[in-house]
Amino acid sequence: MKQTESDGLSRRRILSGAAGLAAGAAAVAAGLPSGPASASSTHTAPDLVRWRKQAANVTITRDDWGIPHVTGKTDADAVFGMIYAQAEDDFNRIENNYLTSLGRLAEANGEGAIWQDLRQRLFVDPEVLKRDYANSPVWLRKLAQSWADGLNYYLATHPEVRPRVLTRFEPWMTLSFSEGSIGGDIERVPLTQLQAFYDQREVEMTDEERGLLFREPRGSNGFAIGPRNTRDGHALLLINPHTSFFFRSEQHVTSGEGLNVYGAATWGQFFIYQGFNANAGWMHTSSGVDNVDEFAETIVTRADGSRSYRYGSKIRPVTTKKITLSYRTTDGARAQRTFTTFATHHGPIVREADGKWIAFALMNKPVEALQQSFLRTKARDYAAFMKVADFKANSSNNTLFADSKGHIAFLMPQFMPIRDDRFDYRRPVDGSDPATDWRGLHSLRSLPQAVDPRNGWVFNTNNWPWTAAGANSPRAVDYPRYFDQAGENPRGPQAIRVLTARKDFTPQTLLTAAFDTYLTAFARLIPGLVTAWDKLPDGDQQKTKLAGPIGLFRGWDYRWAADSTATSLAVFWGEAIWATASQPARDAGMAVWDWVAERATDAQRIAALDVGMDRLVLDFGSWQVPWGEINRFQRNDGAIVQTFDDAKPSSPVPFTSAQWGSLASFGARRYPGTKRYYGTSGNSFVAIVEFGPKVRAWAVTAGGASGHPSSPHFNDQAERYANGDLRPVYFYPDQLKGHIERIYQPGR
């Protein structure tokens, strides 16, 4: 499925002086093995009998792109096969995700990861998860047990696979990685300040934590177009997550109990996160809502050393809990470190600021989140989808929805605490004032949303909700301030531009819109640069030096292309001006784009062009370099953190970072030893879905379906990915016929 029209459619310090609160020095744990036991030694004969029996109820069909189509007699059987197939393709990423979500990453990566583990364990307690699992619905326990059995059966039948840490999976572990919000929301806690608090020493915040580094925007694009705006009267959905590459597995999962879902599942999860079934589809975009808060606690220390905090006119005791973490030492042995941690009713203490302890509050509803995540994949229409949404266990994502009845919708996260809008929750609020407390959750009806709007389309590009449906969008004045802290971004106006351009969308023209080449940020910012150059006096050294680049910009249409030298120059200028603008923009409370457009001086604009031009000449010998020569897709190995190499094969990618307004996003930069830019995030799984009498879909995955370099499906989609050339999705058996590589059962 190419971007252009054709006849047919082709193919996520403790307070100074408070000694002794963080426990101690690391001590090597005597007698611990230097590495994990073989996975094959952790199962019993009855385990194998049970696993083989369930495997007989599962069929995995690999299509000619290596994508698994999993069929099970029951939902539990389908989950068994789904996770087994994921493990076949990339067990390393599954294990890594659960090491992260369980707070055990340091056991594999060493002591450097211990603060990330501590952050996770402040919120995710294995003993609590075990109790939650025991009390969860029977149907959910069946799925979780099948998930664990599928992974353990994979390890039992693949003795050559040596897990770094997790040699046996338990069903309760699914609750540690149930929706994504714990992993996403928790990352707002700065690790340096967590370390400063619990290590009792000063630790400087990093430039990244302060928001000063140029970084690829995290998020996604989602469009839903109603029947009135399509040529054939069928609702359309664009699924365009912007994540790190190879972050999810593309799968088709069906069962005899009504499960029939296609899309992208985050490695290790047993539900399709972005995708569709025969009647409905959903796309999640990272939301700008403020539903994660910090509370500044006033600590009172008694003569006996015990600690309390003020709450209204009362004094409440600070909760303490010891957390022991293991980590891998440099010689491969294991050591442990124990921390005494603190919490108030608002949440765990994560840092100190201005003499106050800061408690961190976020959604922590793993059982509800896992139910919502799975059950929405079986929703057949908008009403059913909203019934599942009533779990209110999605905190981090907006949703774009479409169904075969013609309904479309933009929805905000359902986990939204009710708060007093007098307080600015973008900053720590006074935890001693009961008025700042959360007061239950908003009803679904009270959330900003756009359902079947008159304009016929909805979208989100991780921007505010106030333009989601054009003139039919919810209005900011009608809602508390905490419903948005993202504001607008350059992709928002670009989305509106392409969505208002026609009322006869087809799958092909929706794809063309998703890959529209216009760069709204540069269209806004470059004219100011040109004007600044025009003001330079004749004979000025910089005016002479930069005349060529300015001439190039004068004739540029602000569109990316692989052969565009203007795109290269604009990106290098943009990165240079961004470095100048980041701190003053942050100080002014402005988006960097706005600060550059409205407050950058002419001298700053000119100096950034000088820097960008010199970088191009230094690295490539000229300031006139086609963008495709710089911007590359490369997949060398299956490592989670890949090493890039200019001497190895790579593919040109014409689209840019979303930072500059490109809807199609490719987050790339230089790496040690490289001059070219290599992408690691942005467009990952992209799909176009049409909900007609029978659902039709086209998709592409960055690189390929397999994480194994020896597989023919490790990088077989690279060219299609770079060209925006989506392949047909084989959703129905008759579509899959003739495109089958292998049919088998797990373990065979």
Side-chain angles (χ1 to χ4, degrees), residues 623-642:
W623 58 267
Q624 294 174 290
V625 185
W627 179 233
E629 288 297 313
I630 300 171
N631 203 46
R632 313 290 288 190
F633 179 90
Q634 186 177 83
R635 196 177 192 190
N636 293 327
D637 54 52
I640 292 174
V641 179
Q642 181 173 251

Side-chain angles (χ1 to χ4, degrees), residues 36-345:
S38 169
S40 61
S41 67
T42 64
H43 64 262
T44 64
D47 287 334
L48 282 173
V49 171
R50 187 178 76 256
W51 298 339
R52 287 169 179 160
K53 182 177 180 181
Q54 187 160 26
N57 296 330
V58 178
T59 300
I60 301 173
T61 302
R62 295 278 180 171
D63 68 24
D64 50 12
W65 294 100
I67 294 162
H69 300 252
V70 180
T71 301
K73 289 186 177 180
T74 65
D75 288 351
D77 294 333
V79 164
F80 181 100
M82 178 186 188
I83 201 65
Y84 183 95
Q86 284 186 31
E88 286 183 303
D89 289 335
D90 209 327
F91 176 80
N92 186 33
R93 280 185 164 79
I94 294 175
E95 185 183 20
N96 194 74
N97 283 346
Y98 279 91
L99 291 176
T100 300
S101 67
L102 291 166
R104 298 181 63 182
L105 198 58
E107 294 179 42
N109 294 353
E111 192 174 8
I114 206 162
W115 299 107
Q116 185 176 345
D117 285 351
L118 179 61
R119 181 175 65 181
Q120 194 73 11
R121 291 284 295 276
L122 288 174
F123 299 91
V124 178
D125 184 331
E127 296 307 313
V128 172
L129 294 186
K130 291 174 185 178
R131 292 196 296 270
D132 287 344
Y133 170 75
N135 294 322
S136 63
V138 172
W139 69 266
L140 188 63
R141 294 204 304 272
K142 287 181 180 179
L143 299 189
Q145 184 65 62
S146 290
W147 169 88
D149 287 347
L151 285 172
N152 292 328
Y153 189 47
Y154 169 78
L155 291 175
T157 55
H158 293 77
E160 74 281 3
V161 175
R162 301 282 295 187
R164 291 183 294 164
V165 175
L166 301 177
T167 58
R168 186 176 179 90
F169 291 83
E170 301 292 339
W172 61 267
M173 292 178 177
T174 58
L175 296 177
S176 72
F177 192 30
S178 56
E179 185 268 340
S181 63
I182 285 290
D185 295 343
I186 205 173
E187 290 177 0
R188 302 189 196 186
V189 175
L191 291 179
T192 58
Q193 299 312 288
L194 181 72
Q195 180 181 2
F197 187 87
Y198 285 108
D199 224 11
Q200 305 177 56
R201 64 186 180 90
E202 294 282 346
V203 181
E204 283 291 319
M205 290 185 72
T206 66
D207 285 347
E208 183 175 10
E209 288 174 334
R210 291 198 295 264
L212 301 181
L213 296 182
F214 180 92
R215 60 185 297 179
E216 176 69 11
R218 294 182 179 181
S220 309
N221 301 327
F223 297 175
I225 302 177
R228 73 177 66 182
N229 281 23
T230 67
R231 185 191 66 187
D232 299 322
H234 305 148
L236 295 171
L237 181 66
L238 167 67
I239 299 174
N240 184 198
H242 294 171
T243 67
S244 55
F245 293 161
F246 328 124
F247 186 67
R248 295 194 174 107
S249 167
E250 186 175 346
Q251 296 185 286
H252 184 198
V253 188
T254 64
S255 80
E257 295 180 337
L259 184 66
N260 186 9
V261 60
Y262 192 104
T266 307
W267 294 107
Q269 293 183 327
F270 64 73
F271 52 86
I272 296 295
Y273 188 71
Q274 320 267 24
F276 59 95
N277 56 42
N279 299 99
W282 55 96
M283 165 64 207
H284 298 307
T285 61
S286 296
S287 181
V289 297
D290 179 11
N291 55 10
V292 174
D293 292 325
E294 292 185 317
F295 294 84
E297 310 287 18
T298 302
I299 303 300
V300 177
T301 304
R302 301 184 185 276
D304 63 359
S306 63
R307 288 170 176 79
S308 302
Y309 65 102
R310 296 190 183 280
Y311 185 68
S313 61
K314 299 180 180 180
I315 298 293
R316 293 185 173 187
V318 172
T319 301
T320 63
K321 181 175 72 172
K322 289 187 181 295
I323 295 176
T324 298
L325 301 173
S326 297
Y327 62 91
R328 184 179 179 88
T329 61
T330 55
D331 61 0
R334 298 290 178 87
Q336 292 182 330
R337 187 168 178 184
T338 298
F339 299 88
T340 298
T341 65
F342 307 93
T344 70
H345 74 284

Side-chain angles (χ1 to χ4, degrees), residues 514-533:
F515 281 83
D516 188 274
T517 60
Y518 196 62
L519 296 169
T520 52
F522 289 135
R524 181 187 182 195
L525 301 178
I526 292 292
L529 169 63
V530 174
T531 299
W533 183 88

Side-chain angles (χ1 to χ4, degrees), residues 398-442:
N398 303 316
T399 302
L400 285 303
F401 176 88
D403 68 22
S404 59
K405 295 180 179 179
H407 297 301
I408 61 171
F410 162 78
L411 307 170
M412 296 202 77
Q414 295 85 48
F415 181 86
M416 282 301 299
I418 299 171
R419 285 153 285 180
D420 190 328
D421 203 32
R422 293 177 299 157
F423 302 103
D424 184 0
Y425 286 90
R426 294 172 300 177
R427 297 170 177 82
V429 294
D430 184 1
S432 70
D433 185 351
T436 63
D437 271 11
W438 290 358
R439 301 182 177 183
L441 297 178
H442 278 272

